[in-house]
């Protein structure tokens, strides 16, 4: 867990909080009688982890909480249950986070969180008075959580960053997020990298970008996007005057997609980062796009120096 105060003057890092290990001397079978089949198949009984409510209630000014449920260097004590974010873990954490009204940043990375548990956590954040950053990256959440995040964006009036990188969100979840994004006036960063939103989800996200004026950074890399989304994004580039950073690498936009993006960017004066690596656009289009980006950066630097 990583803990910091609201003022940011100091913090406390805890590398690991271990659950109690079973007593190997309490009449367990001998080593040669034990099969590791249960561990390999993930059939161990669930093992609940630490109740963070015990300490969060003692930290009224807690501003940042970053947790990964797992075990470092477990060695011969390996059990699948050590790495499971249990239902009880989820329930206790959700209640603890809700009670921590000064919390601004919540990161739950690499916890193997699935939809049911993610939705429970989000339900406890709907009326949270201080949360500005929600990071659920590198988990197992899908469209149901996407809809929950959409609801959070529709009711939360201060959330600035949502990171859902490396999950299994598809078109339905992305569309729910896009619907709420149209009405949201605070979100500045949205990370959907390494999901599966496809052309339908990408198209709906682009439609939302046409109406939002606060989002500054969006990452849609590695999402199975194609040429049709490139056309939608080109329209965004022509009209959106707030987006400064777009990452859309590792999508098959193609040569035709590169041309429409090039055309859409001609009159754009605000975009400062446009990551198009491994998108199969032509070198000519990439060169022209990078020239526009360079020009925008130079104009921005000149305006700051003046």
């Amino acid at each position: 867990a990583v803990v910091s105060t609201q003022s940011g003057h100091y913090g406390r890092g805890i590398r690991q909080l271990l659950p109690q290990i079973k007593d190997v001397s309490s009449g367990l079978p001998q080593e040669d009688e034990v099969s590791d089949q249960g561990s390999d198949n993930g059939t161990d009984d669930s093992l609940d982890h630490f109740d963070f409510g015990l300490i969060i209630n003692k930290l009224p000014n807690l501003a940042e909480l970053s947790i990964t449920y797992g075990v470092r260097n477990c060695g011969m004590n390996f059990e699948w249950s050590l790495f499971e974010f249990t239902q009880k873990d989820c329930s206790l954490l959700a209640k603890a986070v809700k009670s921590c009204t000064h919390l601004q940043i919540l990161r739950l990375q690499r916890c193997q969180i699935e939809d049911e548990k993610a939705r429970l956590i989000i339900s406890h954040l709907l009326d949270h008075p201080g949360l500005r950053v929600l990071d659920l990256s590198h988990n197992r959440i899908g469209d149901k959580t996407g809809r929950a995040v959409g609801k959070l964006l529709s009711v939360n009036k201060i959330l600035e960053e949502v990171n859902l990188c490396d999950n299994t969100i598809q078109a339905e979840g992305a569309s729910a997020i896009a619907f709420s994004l149209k009405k949201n006036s605070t979100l500045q960063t949205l990370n959907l990298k390494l999901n599966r939103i496809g052309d339908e989800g990408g198209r709906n996200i682009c439609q939302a970008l046409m109406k939002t004026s606060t989002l500054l950074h969006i990452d849609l890399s590695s999402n199975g996007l194609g040429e049709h989304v490139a056309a939608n994004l080109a329209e965004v580039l022509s009209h959106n005057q707030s987006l400064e950073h777009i990452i859309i690498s590792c999508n098959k936009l193609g040569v035709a997609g590169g041309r429409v993006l090039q055309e859409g960017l001609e009159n754009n004066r605000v975009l400062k980062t446009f990551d198009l690596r491994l998108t199969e656009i032509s070198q000519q289009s990439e060169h022209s796009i990078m020239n526009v980006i360079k020009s925008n950066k130079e104009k921005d630097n000149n305006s700051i120096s003046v």
Side-chain angles (χ1 to χ4, degrees):
V2 176
V3 178
S4 66
T5 62
Q6 185 178 18
S7 61
H9 290 172
Y10 65 89
R12 176 69 64 188
I14 304 173
R15 288 180 58 84
Q16 188 165 222
L17 293 168
L18 284 172
Q20 187 175 7
I21 301 299
K22 291 183 296 186
D23 185 358
V24 296
S25 63
S26 58
L28 293 178
Q30 296 299 317
E31 181 177 356
D32 57 355
E33 297 177 355
V34 176
S35 169
D36 61 358
Q37 182 177 357
S39 178
D40 291 340
N41 293 334
T43 58
D44 292 313
D45 294 335
S46 297
L47 184 64
D48 299 322
H49 294 85
F50 184 74
D51 179 5
F52 283 93
L54 298 175
I55 59 173
I56 288 180
N57 292 334
K58 306 295 183 182
L59 300 170
N61 293 319
L62 181 68
E64 178 175 354
L65 183 63
S66 178
I67 304 172
T68 296
Y69 284 81
V71 177
R72 295 176 181 267
N73 305 318
C74 60
M76 298 301 293
N77 291 319
F78 172 82
E79 294 180 23
W80 281 113
S81 57
L82 295 175
F83 297 84
E84 181 181 353
F85 181 54
T86 68
Q87 190 65 40
K88 184 176 181 180
D89 289 336
C90 181
S91 179
L92 292 173
L93 180 63
K95 293 177 181 178
V97 168
K98 182 175 183 177
S99 68
C100 187
T101 57
H102 285 97
L103 188 68
Q104 297 181 19
I105 301 173
L106 176 62
R107 303 189 190 278
L108 300 174
Q109 301 174 332
R110 298 178 178 88
C111 296
Q112 303 189 59
I113 301 175
E114 298 175 343
D115 277 329
E116 180 183 357
K117 295 165 186 172
R119 292 172 66 195
L120 177 60
I121 293 172
I122 292 173
S123 70
H124 284 71
L125 297 174
L126 292 178
D127 57 353
H128 196 283
L131 190 69
R132 297 183 182 277
V133 177
L134 177 62
D135 185 347
L136 297 175
S137 59
H138 310 291
N139 283 295
R140 298 178 178 177
I141 58 180
D143 287 337
K144 292 181 179 179
T145 301
R147 293 198 299 269
V149 170
K151 183 176 181 179
L152 179 64
L153 289 174
S154 67
V155 300
N156 186 290
K157 304 304 180 184
I158 60 174
L159 196 63
E160 297 176 356
E161 178 180 342
V162 172
N163 187 349
L164 301 174
C165 167
D166 190 18
N167 280 289
T168 60
I169 298 172
Q170 301 184 40
E172 182 181 349
S175 299
I177 293 172
F179 180 80
S180 297
L181 190 60
K182 295 176 183 178
K183 304 175 182 180
N184 183 277
S185 60
T186 60
L187 195 69
Q188 298 180 15
T189 300
L190 176 60
N191 189 345
L192 290 172
K193 176 182 179 180
L194 287 169
N195 278 279
R196 308 169 186 175
I197 69 173
D199 282 349
E200 180 183 352
R203 180 172 61 252
N204 290 329
I205 290 290
C206 287
Q207 291 175 357
L209 295 179
M210 292 287 291
K211 298 186 177 182
T212 180
S213 60
T214 57
L215 199 69
L216 303 177
H217 184 129
I218 189 165
D219 191 337
L220 298 175
S221 54
S222 300
N223 263 291
L225 308 180
E227 292 183 6
H228 296 296
V229 175
N232 299 132
L233 185 57
E235 189 175 0
V236 173
L237 295 173
S238 300
H239 295 88
N240 186 290
Q241 296 301 311
S242 63
L243 269 175
E244 297 182 355
H245 308 280
I246 299 176
I247 304 175
I248 197 169
S249 57
C250 302
N251 288 294
K252 295 183 179 181
L253 306 183
V255 174
R259 285 197 296 267
V260 296
L261 289 174
Q262 178 183 344
E263 295 170 0
L265 197 60
E266 287 179 353
N267 297 317
N268 186 293
R269 299 294 179 264
V270 295
L271 195 64
K272 300 178 181 62
T273 302
F274 200 6
D275 190 343
L276 289 160
R277 292 173 295 171
L278 301 175
T279 54
E280 301 181 3
I281 69 172
S282 68
Q283 290 185 349
Q284 179 181 357
S285 294
E286 184 176 5
H287 179 72
S288 298
I289 290 172
M290 290 304 107
N291 281 339
V292 174
I293 298 299
K294 181 179 179 181
S295 176
N296 288 348
K297 287 182 177 180
E298 291 175 347
K299 291 177 182 177
D300 185 62
N301 291 335
N302 290 336
S303 64
I304 293 175
S305 61
V306 172

